[in-house]
Amino acid sequence: VQLMETGGGSVQSGGSLRLSCKASGSIFKVNDMGWYRQAPGKQRETVATITDNGNTNYKDSVKDRFTISRGYAENTVDLQMDILQPEDTAVYYCFARIILWGMGSVSKDFWGPGIQVTVSA
């Protein structure tokens, strides 16, 4: 299974970016998906998550600015980021909890390689 992120880049404060992630491989079912980020010198933190039935959860500082969504048939997860601030600068990682074919109900966590988001003041 591979997760691949696209859509990162550099924007000015107040701008927008949309991150996309697609899971591919021997996938039976994708449970939770989400986005995490890690800024230089800081620990990785949760940005937003979405369950297989559409329940979402956001980091307090991104509520009302970021929106997470899923493409269930395509095994994709997107993160629409609006009103970006310099403190949103980080490497963003896609996450998926996946049940592989032949594994019964046992799920495994997978991560994308990460994509850079830079917001300048």
Side-chain angles (χ1 to χ4, degrees):
V1 172
Q2 287 188 328
L3 271 62
M4 185 56 61
E5 303 107 339
T6 58
S10 298
V11 295
Q12 290 189 329
S13 181
S16 297
L17 283 173
R18 187 177 184 88
L19 303 182
S20 295
C21 172
K22 181 174 177 60
S24 60
S26 185
I27 297 170
F28 174 71
K29 183 178 184 290
V30 180
N31 290 332
D32 296 353
M33 299 190 83
W35 289 93
Y36 293 69
R37 69 188 183 189
Q38 187 167 18
K42 295 187 177 181
Q43 291 190 335
R44 189 175 297 189
E45 61 181 8
T46 306
V47 177
T49 59
I50 184 167
T51 66
D52 57 351
N53 57 10
N55 292 326
T56 59
N57 190 46
Y58 293 91
K59 177 180 172 63
D60 284 346
S61 65
V62 308
K63 285 180 181 178
D64 302 323
R65 299 190 297 123
F66 291 9
T67 304
I68 190 170
S69 60
R70 282 180 66 164
Y72 289 90
E74 302 85 7
N75 293 328
T76 58
V77 61
D78 291 351
L79 186 68
Q80 176 65 40
M81 304 185 293
D82 298 317
I83 318 175
L84 281 160
Q85 302 299 315
E87 53 265 35
D88 295 317
T89 295
V91 177
Y92 283 69
Y93 297 89
C94 175
F95 163 84
R97 182 158 291 157
I98 296 172
I99 300 175
L100 305 179
W101 281 104
M103 295 298 291
S105 61
V106 177
S107 62
K108 185 176 179 180
D109 294 347
F110 293 88
W111 294 89
I115 193 165
Q116 180 70 44
V117 170
T118 302
V119 185
S120 57

